[in-house]
Amino acid sequence: MVLSETVTQVQAVLRELEEIGDRPSDAAGARLASRLDTLIEEHPEAFAEALATFSPRPAEPSLQSAPPPELRKTWRSYLSFQTVQPLQAWRPKSLHDLVELLGAARQNGCRVKAVGSGHSFSDIATTPDFLVETHALDRVLPLDKSCLKQPEKPRIEVESGITVKALNQKLDELGLALENLGSFDGQTICGAISTGTHGTGVGLGPLAASVESLTVVAANGEVYRVEPRDGITDPAKFLQPGVQLRQDDDWFHSIVVGMGCMGLVYSLILRVQPAYWLEQKRTLMSWSALKPKLDSGEIIHQHRHFDVLINPYSTGGQHTCLVSTKDVVAKPPEPAPGGESKPWDYLSVLAMKLGLRLVKAIMTYAPHLTPRVIDFALHYLAVFDGHSAGKSYRMLAPGNLPIDGYAAEIGFSLARHTEAAEEVMRLAGNAAKVGRQYQTSPFSLRYVGAAAAYLAPQYGRDTCMIELPVIDGTPGGVEIMHRFERAARKLGGRPHWGLELELLSGADDLRALYPLFDRWLAVFRIINAPGGTFYNSFTSRLGFE
């Protein structure tokens, strides 16, 4: 059979698999997977060609019910990893509302937890008592520059519940931008900052590094404006009724990455800069060629933003790596045809080229083809999205994910990050060999500058954040995450708090990872006094109480 005929037959099998999706225990799925193997054995290159020309069928629109007029009684995190039915769900719209609900909590002996968009996978955001949904706290506030030491510097003050996407759009209207961003813009800005969210760039810190001041309500109802010891506010000029200025390094560096258990944050003052454009370039390399460059550190420091996607499986004797760099460029005088670029990611390629049903069918019936699918997507990104440019926030945070997934992410010192990457590869190969469990996405290396926040994963050291994502529904997906987390602890890895999957247990674990944990803990106890208002299952598990 000639190659073109094989490609046609492979596409026909893929189309049938797409119809099945991840339907369990379907004999037809197993039969089609066997047929696919036979065709690929005859012409190995036919699989990649078939994927390249495959077009997923449009998804049928889903029916959505209107929200009930009453207060929501059940809160679910993203992908429903966590579900809770609190006594009361609060939706505050002002600082006064926050003070009022904390008074009600004290009166009724209830605990309180603020939540954002629910993108944390652990129990960090749950409470059975008063759940505070912050999305109505979404305004850009007038910044009082009269009390600032350097009022000419670019800053913006926002309420804690504004989403990253909405903030980016508002900054763009003002001709401003954040200096760094994570890759997802659906989170609230406070939820992203307080869990240690980061972007890329070893010369830049995580999102928390852009915070210069924040207003927080403690358990006793007292309102504080918290800054570092040499903060942006002139104490002699600060006159805000009902708000105490607290310029204290321990308070500030503890609360800014406080995982939602350091009071109710009302607003943040963020350092910003004039809007800028970024140019992205992507190239393919093998791991054997890339590793020496990473170990030397030169390639990491050459670019403003630098990250790598790695196929955890060897194909053709090598692990394929997609290296991405982003650097500041001048805004073009005329818009490019079709407008500015918006970069794709791995999941975008799968959604666009294959579709969720086919991806899940391969996960279910032909998991051994996963390494080839990952390689296909990485090559596609290099060829069809190898060069792009656009406004900074669109290049750094292109938007919501087209396919649901979850992840674990751990920060490693640069002295051990390639060792950690090779451990991911070893674990992936062993799970595939022993149990036919496959990671359904490449893993990433993202380089971030050292942070001052006491419990930031990047505290005190330039860091490589290794993220291991899988598509929702991946067989053994949570177990894959747990193996990675266990291995990471032996290498001094620190978890991203939004992606920590409940393997840390007790204060001793944290003392071993964070040198200033006890200072953080002292502030935690002050903010929660007298009754542990912001305690929950997360704080109990980690020994904060």
Side-chain angles (χ1 to χ4, degrees):
M1 188 186 303
V2 298
L3 176 60
S4 60
E5 293 177 358
T6 305
V7 170
T8 300
Q9 293 194 28
V10 168
Q11 284 189 324
V13 174
L14 293 177
R15 186 66 70 194
E16 290 187 68
L17 278 171
E18 181 187 35
E19 290 298 319
I20 294 174
D22 61 345
R23 202 162 57 227
S25 303
D26 194 308
R31 176 182 56 78
L32 289 168
S34 176
R35 174 61 176 156
L36 198 57
D37 286 342
T38 300
L39 292 169
I40 293 172
E41 185 176 352
E42 183 174 346
H43 282 296
E45 63 273 32
F47 186 62
E49 288 198 28
L51 291 180
T53 54
F54 187 85
S55 178
R57 288 183 177 143
E60 295 182 3
S62 58
L63 298 175
Q64 298 195 6
S65 58
E70 62 209 20
L71 290 176
R72 186 168 61 190
K73 297 179 181 178
T74 299
W75 179 85
R76 291 182 175 85
S77 66
Y78 182 65
L79 294 183
S80 297
F81 264 65
Q82 302 290 333
T83 302
V84 67
Q85 294 181 322
L87 292 175
Q88 294 185 17
W90 290 71
R91 295 171 182 82
K93 295 184 177 181
S94 66
L95 176 60
H96 173 77
D97 290 347
L98 296 179
V99 175
E100 185 178 66
L101 76 87
L102 282 171
R106 291 193 304 275
Q107 183 178 359
N108 292 283
C110 291
R111 293 179 175 178
V112 177
K113 191 68 176 181
V115 298
S117 299
H119 283 269
S120 296
F121 300 130
S122 77
D123 53 346
I124 192 171
T126 60
T127 181
D129 292 354
F130 284 13
L131 190 80
V132 183
E133 295 185 329
T134 59
H135 282 100
L137 295 170
D138 61 352
R139 295 178 299 163
V140 174
L141 299 174
L143 179 61
D144 180 9
K145 295 185 178 182
S146 66
C147 65
L148 300 182
K149 296 175 183 176
Q150 296 176 299
E152 73 283 358
K153 289 194 171 183
R155 299 182 175 96
I156 192 168
E157 184 171 11
V158 296
E159 291 181 320
S160 60
I162 191 171
T163 64
V164 175
K165 182 176 182 178
L167 173 58
N168 285 335
Q169 291 171 341
K170 183 61 179 179
L171 286 170
D172 188 53
E173 293 171 6
L174 299 171
L176 300 168
L178 292 168
E179 66 181 18
N180 209 354
L181 285 165
S183 59
F184 180 66
D185 64 2
Q187 302 153 298
T188 62
I189 187 64
C190 189
I193 288 169
S194 67
T195 54
T197 296
H198 58 90
T200 65
V202 76
L204 305 168
L207 266 64
S210 67
V211 180
E212 295 191 319
S213 180
L214 52 84
T215 299
V216 63
V217 189
N220 61 6
E222 296 290 328
V223 182
Y224 298 95
R225 176 165 168 152
V226 182
E227 300 177 359
R229 179 171 54 86
D230 187 21
I232 63 172
T233 302
D234 184 342
K237 297 179 179 179
F238 180 73
L239 295 172
Q240 189 172 345
V243 181
Q244 305 173 50
L245 177 63
R246 180 85 185 216
Q247 294 182 315
D248 181 294
D249 284 346
D250 283 348
W251 273 54
F252 180 77
H253 295 309
S254 297
I255 294 172
V256 70
V257 178
M259 291 88 79
C261 54
M262 284 279 201
L264 296 179
V265 176
Y266 168 64
S267 67
L268 307 99
I269 298 177
L270 305 172
R271 182 179 65 254
V272 295
Q273 66 178 79
Y276 59 100
W277 276 52
L278 289 171
E279 178 184 50
Q280 176 174 266
K281 296 180 180 179
R282 284 170 161 166
T283 55
L284 290 172
M285 297 181 70
S286 67
W287 174 250
S288 60
L290 178 61
K291 181 186 175 185
K293 297 178 182 291
L294 297 177
D295 284 333
S296 73
E298 182 179 356
I299 192 173
I300 299 169
H301 291 84
Q302 283 177 341
H303 303 277
R304 178 184 171 97
H305 303 277
F306 175 84
D307 62 88
V308 186
L309 288 177
I310 302 175
N311 189 339
Y313 306 100
S314 174
T315 57
Q318 294 285 352
H319 290 267
T320 302
C321 305
L322 182 69
V323 177
S324 299
T325 63
K326 298 183 186 75
D327 292 290
V328 176
V329 292
K331 178 182 177 180
E334 296 293 335
E340 63 180 291
S341 303
K342 184 177 181 181
W344 302 336
D345 57 22
Y346 172 78
L347 293 179
S348 298
V349 171
L350 294 190
M352 176 177 59
K353 294 300 300 176
L354 306 183
L356 180 58
R357 290 185 64 85
L358 177 57
V359 169
K360 290 203 168 185
I362 292 173
M363 285 165 39
T364 304
Y365 296 107
H368 58 286
L369 296 178
T370 300
R372 295 188 186 212
V373 172
I374 294 175
D375 247 25
F376 163 77
L378 295 182
H379 279 80
Y380 193 95
L381 287 169
V383 172
F384 293 99
D385 195 35
H387 181 261
S388 56
K391 293 178 180 179
S392 61
Y393 71 95
R394 290 179 177 160
M395 299 300 293
L396 296 172
N400 292 344
L401 301 177
I403 295 177
D404 285 336
Y406 53 94
E409 187 173 26
I410 312 289
F412 298 90
S413 71
L414 296 190
R416 306 199 74 174
H417 77 286
T418 57
E419 181 184 359
E422 290 184 333
E423 180 64 8
V424 173
M425 300 175 197
R426 187 193 69 79
L427 290 170
N430 189 63
K433 177 182 177 181
V434 176
R436 297 184 74 229
Q437 290 183 356
Y438 284 83
Q439 295 170 212
T440 43
S441 296
F443 69 97
S444 64
L445 312 183
R446 298 190 181 111
Y447 296 86
V448 191
Y454 293 168
L455 259 60
Q458 306 84 15
Y459 172 76
R461 67 188 190 191
D462 291 343
T463 297
C464 175
M465 300 295 298
I466 298 184
E467 183 180 24
L468 198 163
V470 297
I471 296 169
D472 186 34
T474 296
V478 172
E479 289 73 20
I480 289 170
M481 305 289 101
H482 285 174
R483 292 186 199 104
F484 172 48
E485 286 192 327
R486 284 192 292 269
R489 291 177 64 179
K490 298 177 182 178
L491 297 174
R494 298 171 178 166
H496 181 315
W497 294 110
L499 303 177
E500 187 269 333
L501 292 177
E502 304 185 22
L503 281 186
L504 290 177
S505 57
D508 289 342
D509 282 354
L510 294 174
R511 287 190 181 93
L513 295 174
Y514 296 97
L516 299 185
F517 170 68
D518 283 315
R519 290 193 189 181
W520 185 96
L521 192 60
V523 177
F524 167 81
R525 288 169 176 161
I526 293 171
I527 294 293
N528 276 272
T533 299
F534 306 108
Y535 292 179
N536 71 345
S537 60
F538 172 80
T539 62
S540 298
R541 174 167 60 84
L542 292 184
F544 293 168
E545 302 168 21

